[in-house]
Amino acid sequence: VVIPLMGLGLAVYFYSAPDNFSEEMLRGKRVIVTGASSGIGEQMAYHLARMGAHVLLMARTEAKLQKVVERCLELGAASARFVSGSMENTAFAEEVVKEAENTWGGLDMLILNHIGYSYFNYFDGDVEHVRKLLETNFLSYVAMTVTALPMLKESEGSIVVVSSVAGKAGGPFIAPYSATKFALEGFFSSLRHEFIIDNVNVSITLCILGFIDTDSAMRVVSHAIRAAPSPKEECALEIIRSGALRQRELHYPPSIVTGMLLLPELHGLRAKGTRLLNKDLGQLMQ
Ligand code: NDP
Protein backbone atom coordinates (compact mmCIF):
# COMPACT_ATOMS: atom_id res chain seq x y z
CA VAL A 1 0.00 0.00 0.00
CA VAL A 2 1.47 3.29 -1.01
CA ILE A 3 -0.24 6.38 0.26
CA PRO A 4 0.28 9.28 -2.17
CA LEU A 5 0.73 11.85 0.54
CA MET A 6 2.74 14.20 -1.61
CA GLY A 7 0.26 13.72 -4.43
CA LEU A 8 -2.38 15.43 -2.37
CA GLY A 9 -0.55 18.61 -3.18
CA LEU A 10 -1.73 20.26 -0.01
CA ALA A 11 0.14 21.81 2.82
CA VAL A 12 -1.97 23.56 5.39
CA TYR A 13 -0.15 25.09 8.31
CA PHE A 14 -1.92 26.04 11.52
CA TYR A 15 0.95 25.61 13.91
CA SER A 16 3.07 28.62 14.71
CA ALA A 17 6.42 28.01 16.33
CA PRO A 18 6.69 29.57 19.77
CA ASP A 19 9.35 32.25 19.92
CA ASN A 20 9.71 32.93 23.63
CA PHE A 21 10.99 29.53 24.70
CA SER A 22 14.21 29.29 26.64
CA GLU A 23 15.89 26.04 27.64
CA GLU A 24 16.50 27.69 31.03
CA MET A 25 12.77 27.19 31.67
CA LEU A 26 13.49 23.51 32.29
CA ARG A 27 16.61 23.89 34.45
CA GLY A 28 16.07 22.24 37.84
CA LYS A 29 12.48 21.25 36.96
CA ARG A 30 11.21 17.85 38.14
CA VAL A 31 9.83 15.94 35.16
CA ILE A 32 8.29 12.47 34.71
CA VAL A 33 8.51 11.00 31.18
CA THR A 34 6.60 7.78 30.45
CA GLY A 35 7.56 5.43 27.62
CA ALA A 36 11.12 6.74 27.89
CA SER A 37 13.08 3.59 26.97
CA SER A 38 12.83 4.26 23.21
CA GLY A 39 11.43 6.51 20.52
CA ILE A 40 10.12 10.00 21.26
CA GLY A 41 10.15 9.44 25.03
CA GLU A 42 13.86 8.57 25.00
CA GLN A 43 14.63 11.71 22.99
CA MET A 44 12.59 13.86 25.39
CA ALA A 45 14.68 12.45 28.25
CA TYR A 46 17.90 13.52 26.48
CA HIS A 47 16.64 17.05 25.77
CA LEU A 48 15.48 17.48 29.36
CA ALA A 49 18.83 16.18 30.63
CA ARG A 50 20.72 18.63 28.45
CA MET A 51 18.54 21.43 29.83
CA GLY A 52 19.45 20.45 33.40
CA ALA A 53 16.13 18.99 34.54
CA HIS A 54 15.56 16.22 37.10
CA VAL A 55 14.06 13.27 35.21
CA LEU A 56 12.14 10.20 36.33
CA LEU A 57 11.76 7.77 33.43
CA MET A 58 9.31 4.91 33.03
CA ALA A 59 8.84 1.93 30.68
CA ARG A 60 8.86 -1.87 31.02
CA THR A 61 12.41 -2.71 29.89
CA GLU A 62 14.83 -2.12 32.72
CA ALA A 63 18.02 -2.68 30.69
CA LYS A 64 17.06 0.02 28.18
CA LEU A 65 16.00 2.45 30.89
CA GLN A 66 19.32 1.95 32.67
CA LYS A 67 21.18 3.00 29.50
CA VAL A 68 18.94 6.03 28.98
CA VAL A 69 19.52 7.13 32.58
CA GLU A 70 23.31 6.81 32.14
CA ARG A 71 23.17 8.93 29.01
CA CYS A 72 20.99 11.53 30.75
CA LEU A 73 23.56 11.87 33.51
CA GLU A 74 26.33 12.32 30.91
CA LEU A 75 24.27 15.03 29.20
CA GLY A 76 23.91 17.04 32.40
CA ALA A 77 20.64 16.02 34.05
CA ALA A 78 20.27 17.46 37.56
CA SER A 79 19.33 13.89 38.47
CA ALA A 80 18.05 10.86 36.58
CA ARG A 81 16.36 7.67 37.74
CA PHE A 82 13.86 5.15 36.43
CA VAL A 83 10.98 2.95 37.48
CA SER A 84 10.20 -0.14 35.38
CA GLY A 85 6.82 -1.81 35.05
CA SER A 86 3.73 -2.06 32.89
CA MET A 87 1.09 0.61 32.60
CA GLU A 88 -1.56 -2.07 32.05
CA ASN A 89 -1.82 -1.81 35.81
CA THR A 90 -3.17 1.50 37.13
CA ALA A 91 -1.72 0.76 40.59
CA PHE A 92 1.73 0.87 38.98
CA ALA A 93 0.85 4.18 37.31
CA GLU A 94 0.16 5.66 40.75
CA GLU A 95 3.38 4.12 42.10
CA VAL A 96 5.46 5.98 39.51
CA VAL A 97 4.06 9.34 40.63
CA LYS A 98 4.59 8.42 44.29
CA GLU A 99 8.23 7.68 43.47
CA ALA A 100 8.53 11.29 42.27
CA GLU A 101 6.89 12.54 45.45
CA ASN A 102 9.20 10.48 47.67
CA THR A 103 12.31 11.50 45.73
CA TRP A 104 11.67 15.14 44.95
CA GLY A 105 8.80 16.12 47.25
CA GLY A 106 7.07 17.71 44.25
CA LEU A 107 6.61 17.67 40.49
CA ASP A 108 6.70 20.33 37.77
CA MET A 109 5.85 18.46 34.57
CA LEU A 110 4.13 15.15 33.82
CA ILE A 111 4.76 13.92 30.26
CA LEU A 112 2.41 11.05 29.34
CA ASN A 113 3.76 9.34 26.24
CA HIS A 114 3.74 5.50 26.47
CA ILE A 115 1.49 3.20 24.37
CA GLY A 116 0.83 -0.52 24.38
CA TYR A 117 0.88 -2.71 21.27
CA SER A 118 -2.13 -2.90 18.98
CA TYR A 119 -2.71 -4.51 15.56
CA PHE A 120 -3.43 -2.82 12.23
CA ASN A 121 -6.34 -4.61 10.61
CA TYR A 122 -10.11 -4.91 10.61
CA PHE A 123 -11.42 -4.84 14.17
CA ASP A 124 -11.37 -8.50 15.20
CA GLY A 125 -14.05 -8.31 17.87
CA ASP A 126 -11.60 -8.84 20.71
CA VAL A 127 -13.15 -6.75 23.48
CA GLU A 128 -10.45 -7.78 25.95
CA HIS A 129 -7.78 -6.26 23.71
CA VAL A 130 -9.68 -2.95 23.65
CA ARG A 131 -10.05 -3.07 27.43
CA LYS A 132 -6.31 -3.76 27.89
CA LEU A 133 -5.32 -1.01 25.48
CA LEU A 134 -7.62 1.46 27.22
CA GLU A 135 -5.94 0.53 30.53
CA THR A 136 -2.48 1.16 29.07
CA ASN A 137 -3.06 4.10 26.72
CA PHE A 138 -5.80 5.92 28.61
CA LEU A 139 -6.62 4.87 32.17
CA SER A 140 -2.99 4.92 33.30
CA TYR A 141 -2.79 8.52 31.99
CA VAL A 142 -5.84 9.39 34.11
CA ALA A 143 -4.45 7.59 37.18
CA MET A 144 -1.08 9.35 36.93
CA THR A 145 -2.83 12.70 36.50
CA VAL A 146 -5.03 12.16 39.57
CA THR A 147 -2.05 11.16 41.73
CA ALA A 148 0.14 13.99 40.42
CA LEU A 149 -2.45 16.75 40.64
CA PRO A 150 -1.80 17.89 44.23
CA MET A 151 1.92 18.29 43.40
CA LEU A 152 1.19 20.01 40.07
CA LYS A 153 -1.24 22.43 41.72
CA GLU A 154 1.43 23.26 44.27
CA SER A 155 4.07 23.93 41.60
CA GLU A 156 1.60 25.41 39.08
CA GLY A 157 3.01 22.81 36.74
CA SER A 158 2.13 21.16 33.43
CA ILE A 159 0.58 17.99 32.04
CA VAL A 160 1.71 17.01 28.54
CA VAL A 161 -0.32 14.33 26.73
CA VAL A 162 1.13 12.73 23.60
CA SER A 163 -1.61 11.87 21.11
CA SER A 164 -2.00 11.43 17.36
CA VAL A 165 -4.02 12.38 14.29
CA ALA A 166 -5.81 9.09 15.03
CA GLY A 167 -7.20 10.82 18.13
CA LYS A 168 -8.73 13.56 15.98
CA ALA A 169 -10.27 11.59 13.11
CA GLY A 170 -11.25 7.97 12.71
CA GLY A 171 -9.75 5.77 10.01
CA PRO A 172 -9.92 2.07 9.21
CA PHE A 173 -7.82 -0.68 10.85
CA ILE A 174 -6.98 1.21 14.01
CA ALA A 175 -10.22 1.06 15.99
CA PRO A 176 -8.72 0.12 19.41
CA TYR A 177 -5.75 2.52 19.13
CA SER A 178 -7.88 5.36 17.79
CA ALA A 179 -10.43 4.86 20.59
CA THR A 180 -7.72 5.30 23.23
CA LYS A 181 -6.43 8.50 21.61
CA PHE A 182 -9.98 9.93 21.25
CA ALA A 183 -10.50 9.15 24.94
CA LEU A 184 -7.43 11.23 25.81
CA GLU A 185 -8.77 14.16 23.79
CA GLY A 186 -12.18 14.01 25.49
CA PHE A 187 -10.87 13.58 29.00
CA PHE A 188 -8.07 16.13 28.97
CA SER A 189 -9.99 18.79 27.00
CA SER A 190 -12.83 18.55 29.52
CA LEU A 191 -10.42 18.64 32.47
CA ARG A 192 -8.78 21.76 31.03
CA HIS A 193 -12.14 23.55 31.07
CA GLU A 194 -12.64 22.57 34.72
CA PHE A 195 -9.20 23.90 35.61
CA ILE A 196 -10.10 27.23 34.01
CA ILE A 197 -13.45 27.41 35.86
CA ASP A 198 -11.74 26.59 39.18
CA ASN A 199 -8.66 28.78 38.60
CA VAL A 200 -6.37 25.77 38.77
CA ASN A 201 -3.09 26.93 37.30
CA VAL A 202 -2.01 23.59 35.82
CA SER A 203 -1.58 23.61 32.03
CA ILE A 204 -2.64 20.73 29.78
CA THR A 205 -0.92 20.39 26.41
CA LEU A 206 -2.28 17.85 23.92
CA CYS A 207 0.30 16.84 21.29
CA ILE A 208 -1.17 15.77 17.93
CA LEU A 209 1.57 13.96 16.07
CA GLY A 210 1.92 12.73 12.49
CA PHE A 211 4.43 10.17 11.22
CA ILE A 212 7.65 10.26 13.28
CA ASP A 213 10.80 8.23 12.54
CA THR A 214 10.94 6.16 15.73
CA ASP A 215 12.27 2.61 15.29
CA SER A 216 8.87 1.09 15.93
CA ALA A 217 7.06 3.36 13.46
CA MET A 218 9.80 2.98 10.81
CA ARG A 219 9.76 -0.81 11.13
CA VAL A 220 6.12 -0.98 10.14
CA VAL A 221 5.47 2.14 8.05
CA SER A 222 8.46 2.86 5.84
CA HIS A 223 7.35 0.42 3.12
CA ALA A 224 3.77 1.59 3.29
CA ILE A 225 3.93 5.36 3.22
CA ARG A 226 5.73 7.57 0.76
CA ALA A 227 5.87 10.67 2.94
CA ALA A 228 9.12 11.36 4.75
CA PRO A 229 8.81 10.85 8.48
CA SER A 230 9.63 13.73 10.80
CA PRO A 231 12.67 13.41 13.07
CA LYS A 232 12.01 12.13 16.58
CA GLU A 233 14.65 14.45 18.07
CA GLU A 234 12.87 17.57 16.77
CA CYS A 235 9.48 16.14 17.67
CA ALA A 236 10.66 15.54 21.24
CA LEU A 237 11.96 19.10 21.52
CA GLU A 238 8.69 20.55 20.19
CA ILE A 239 6.72 18.57 22.77
CA ILE A 240 8.88 19.89 25.64
CA ARG A 241 8.76 23.39 24.24
CA SER A 242 4.95 23.42 23.89
CA GLY A 243 4.58 22.02 27.42
CA ALA A 244 6.93 24.65 28.89
CA LEU A 245 5.01 27.38 27.05
CA ARG A 246 1.73 25.95 28.38
CA GLN A 247 0.23 25.70 24.89
CA ARG A 248 -3.19 24.09 24.57
CA GLU A 249 -2.19 21.99 21.55
CA LEU A 250 0.87 21.10 19.53
CA HIS A 251 0.55 19.92 15.94
CA TYR A 252 3.72 18.24 14.72
CA PRO A 253 4.87 18.20 11.99
CA PRO A 254 3.31 21.54 11.01
CA SER A 255 1.72 19.97 7.93
CA ILE A 256 -0.32 17.67 10.15
CA VAL A 257 -3.56 18.64 8.43
CA THR A 258 -2.24 16.85 5.35
CA GLY A 259 -1.89 13.75 7.51
CA MET A 260 -5.49 14.09 8.59
CA LEU A 261 -6.49 14.22 4.95
CA LEU A 262 -4.96 10.74 4.63
CA LEU A 263 -7.84 9.20 6.47
CA PRO A 264 -10.31 9.47 3.58
CA GLU A 265 -7.56 8.01 1.36
CA LEU A 266 -7.46 4.92 3.57
CA HIS A 267 -11.23 4.67 3.49
CA GLY A 268 -10.87 4.67 -0.28
CA LEU A 269 -8.54 1.67 -0.14
CA ARG A 270 -11.25 -0.36 1.48
CA ALA A 271 -13.78 0.73 -1.11
CA LYS A 272 -11.45 -0.55 -3.84
CA GLY A 273 -11.23 -3.91 -2.09
CA THR A 274 -7.59 -3.46 -1.12
CA ARG A 275 -6.59 -5.77 1.69
CA LEU A 276 -3.87 -5.00 4.15
CA LEU A 277 -2.55 -8.28 5.40
CA ASN A 278 0.43 -7.15 7.44
CA LYS A 279 -0.72 -6.97 11.04
CA ASP A 280 2.52 -5.23 11.89
CA LEU A 281 1.28 -2.13 10.12
CA GLY A 282 -0.34 -1.45 13.47
CA GLN A 283 1.35 1.86 13.94
CA LEU A 284 0.77 3.24 10.46
CA MET A 285 -1.85 5.63 11.70
CA GLN A 286 -0.16 6.56 14.97
P1 NDP B 1 7.80 3.64 20.84
O1 NDP B 1 7.19 2.33 20.48
O2 NDP B 1 9.12 4.00 20.29
O3 NDP B 1 7.89 3.78 22.42
C1 NDP B 1 6.84 3.34 23.24
C2 NDP B 1 7.33 3.43 24.67
O4 NDP B 1 6.29 2.92 25.53
C3 NDP B 1 8.56 2.59 24.92
O5 NDP B 1 9.40 3.23 25.85
C4 NDP B 1 7.99 1.31 25.52
O6 NDP B 1 8.99 0.72 26.31
C5 NDP B 1 6.83 1.87 26.33
N1 NDP B 1 5.77 0.88 26.60
C6 NDP B 1 5.22 -0.02 25.74
N2 NDP B 1 4.29 -0.75 26.36
C7 NDP B 1 4.26 -0.31 27.65
C8 NDP B 1 3.52 -0.68 28.80
N3 NDP B 1 2.60 -1.67 28.77
N4 NDP B 1 3.75 -0.04 29.97
C9 NDP B 1 4.66 0.96 30.03
N5 NDP B 1 5.40 1.36 28.97
C10 NDP B 1 5.19 0.73 27.80
O7 NDP B 1 6.68 4.74 20.47
P2 NDP B 1 6.85 6.17 19.80
O8 NDP B 1 8.01 6.86 20.41
O9 NDP B 1 6.78 6.00 18.33
O10 NDP B 1 5.48 6.86 20.26
C11 NDP B 1 5.43 7.67 21.43
C12 NDP B 1 4.09 8.39 21.48
O11 NDP B 1 3.92 9.12 20.28
C13 NDP B 1 2.86 7.46 21.60
O12 NDP B 1 1.92 8.03 22.46
C14 NDP B 1 2.32 7.41 20.18
O13 NDP B 1 0.93 7.14 20.13
C15 NDP B 1 2.65 8.82 19.72
N6 NDP B 1 2.72 8.91 18.26
C16 NDP B 1 3.78 8.38 17.58
C17 NDP B 1 3.85 8.47 16.19
C18 NDP B 1 4.99 7.90 15.38
O14 NDP B 1 4.88 7.93 14.13
N7 NDP B 1 6.06 7.40 15.98
C19 NDP B 1 2.77 9.15 15.45
C20 NDP B 1 1.69 9.65 16.28
C21 NDP B 1 1.68 9.55 17.64
P3 NDP B 1 9.00 -0.81 26.79
O15 NDP B 1 8.74 -1.65 25.58
O16 NDP B 1 10.37 -0.95 27.37
O17 NDP B 1 7.93 -0.89 27.81
Side-chain angles (χ1 to χ4, degrees):
V1 181
V2 175
I3 297 162
L5 181 64
M6 303 314 288
L8 290 172
L10 287 169
V12 183
Y13 295 88
F14 61 79
Y15 163 78
S16 63
D19 48 18
N20 53 349
F21 173 74
S22 151
E23 297 198 345
E24 281 299 311
M25 292 166 98
L26 275 305
R27 184 168 301 283
K29 296 292 183 199
R30 301 156 296 182
V31 186
I32 294 177
V33 183
T34 72
S37 64
S38 62
I40 299 163
E42 177 184 359
Q43 296 307 316
M44 287 195 276
Y46 298 150
H47 284 302
L48 289 162
R50 206 171 31 76
M51 295 171 195
H54 296 272
V55 292
L56 176 60
L57 312 178
M58 189 291 308
R60 292 170 305 174
T61 316
E62 194 169 331
K64 283 199 217 166
L65 285 169
Q66 183 65 55
K67 284 190 181 151
V68 178
V69 160
E70 282 165 19
R71 182 84 186 114
C72 284
L73 292 170
E74 285 166 14
L75 288 168
S79 72
R81 52 196 292 125
F82 70 85
V83 189
S84 60
S86 176
M87 285 289 175
E88 282 166 41
N89 175 359
T90 44
F92 173 68
E94 291 160 9
E95 204 182 295
V96 175
V97 178
K98 285 187 181 133
E99 174 78 12
E101 190 170 15
N102 295 337
T103 309
W104 298 324
L107 182 68
D108 298 295
M109 188 179 277
L110 175 63
I111 304 183
L112 300 166
N113 166 75
H114 64 277
I115 41 163
Y117 175 77
S118 189
Y119 56 87
F120 183 82
N121 213 324
Y122 290 95
F123 176 53
D124 62 8
D126 184 350
V127 179
E128 272 316 303
H129 173 70
V130 179
R131 191 192 311 278
K132 194 169 145 185
L133 206 64
L134 277 165
E135 292 274 357
T136 305
N137 291 11
F138 173 61
L139 283 177
S140 68
Y141 282 43
V142 175
M144 289 189 79
T145 297
V146 169
T147 312
L149 209 46
M151 289 190 286
L152 292 172
K153 282 181 178 171
E154 174 80 25
S155 64
E156 304 199 326
S158 306
I159 300 167
V160 178
V161 179
V162 180
S163 190
S164 157
V165 290
K168 286 283 189 188
F173 314 128
I174 51 168
Y177 174 77
S178 187
T180 66
K181 294 299 192 187
F182 265 79
L184 291 175
E185 168 94 27
F187 181 83
F188 284 99
S189 299
S190 180
L191 195 65
R192 190 192 292 114
H193 282 293
E194 293 178 13
F195 285 0
I196 292 165
I197 292 166
D198 279 351
N199 288 319
V200 173
N201 196 9
V202 176
S203 63
I204 295 179
T205 301
L206 203 60
C207 304
I208 311 303
L209 306 185
F211 176 28
I212 313 298
D213 69 355
T214 60
D215 288 350
S216 57
M218 291 304 289
R219 197 165 49 241
V220 296
V221 170
S222 54
H223 63 287
I225 191 163
R226 205 186 284 160
S230 300
K232 57 183 182 284
E233 296 83 358
E234 184 181 76
C235 176
L237 185 58
E238 289 302 317
I239 293 171
I240 293 167
R241 192 200 288 248
S242 60
L245 292 174
R246 307 173 85 81
Q247 290 178 347
R248 198 175 62 83
E249 268 190 18
L250 164 73
H251 302 96
Y252 181 89
S255 57
I256 197 77
V257 169
T258 311
M260 291 190 197
L261 291 172
L262 274 175
L263 293 166
E265 290 281 311
L266 284 174
H267 282 293
L269 290 175
R270 184 180 177 201
K272 287 175 201 154
T274 306
R275 287 195 172 272
L276 298 177
L277 298 176
N278 185 354
K279 286 197 172 190
D280 280 335
L281 282 169
Q283 295 178 36
L284 175 61
M285 291 308 300
Q286 279 188 5

